[in-house]
Amino acid sequence: MDELSAVTDLLYGPGTAIPGLSLTDEEAMAMVRQRFPYTEYCLVRDWQWLELEVTPAERDQLSKTGRQPVLVYAHTVVYDVSAP
């Protein structure tokens, strides 16, 4: 039960607020299409940035492909370009 409580606290507990942009959904999608015209994207709300614990070897592997050991967990998906 302690693990369940820890996960619940992680996903639904208070965190550090990160300021965002005050855009309408349409403005946000237009900005993404302008800046990244060939990239798929999701428009989300109520999201969290989770930093993952990885070994140095795993960090090196991620770094080789330009990735970081993080996860964006979204409570609300407003729009997903790859959804049918």
Side-chain angles (χ1 to χ4, degrees), residues 6 34 38:
Q34 180 183 10
Y38 306 108

Side-chain angles (χ1 to χ4, degrees), residues 4-67:
L4 180 58
S5 295
V7 171
T8 301
D9 287 345
L10 175 68
L11 297 178
Y12 298 102
T16 303
I18 300 173
L21 298 174
S22 296
L23 301 175
T24 66
D25 294 348
E26 292 75 20
E27 290 169 333
M29 289 187 282
M31 184 172 69
V32 171
R33 283 191 297 266
Q34 180 183 10
R35 291 184 181 186
F36 307 100
Y38 306 108
T39 303
E40 292 185 347
Y41 65 93
C42 290
L43 178 61
V44 299
R45 300 216 185 286
D46 307 316
W47 57 273
Q48 292 175 299
W49 178 274
L50 306 174
E51 296 181 9
L52 307 175
E53 293 182 14
V54 296
T55 66
E58 291 168 329
R59 186 175 298 279
D60 288 343
Q61 278 299 114
L62 290 169
S63 180
K64 289 177 184 177
T65 58
R67 295 181 292 166

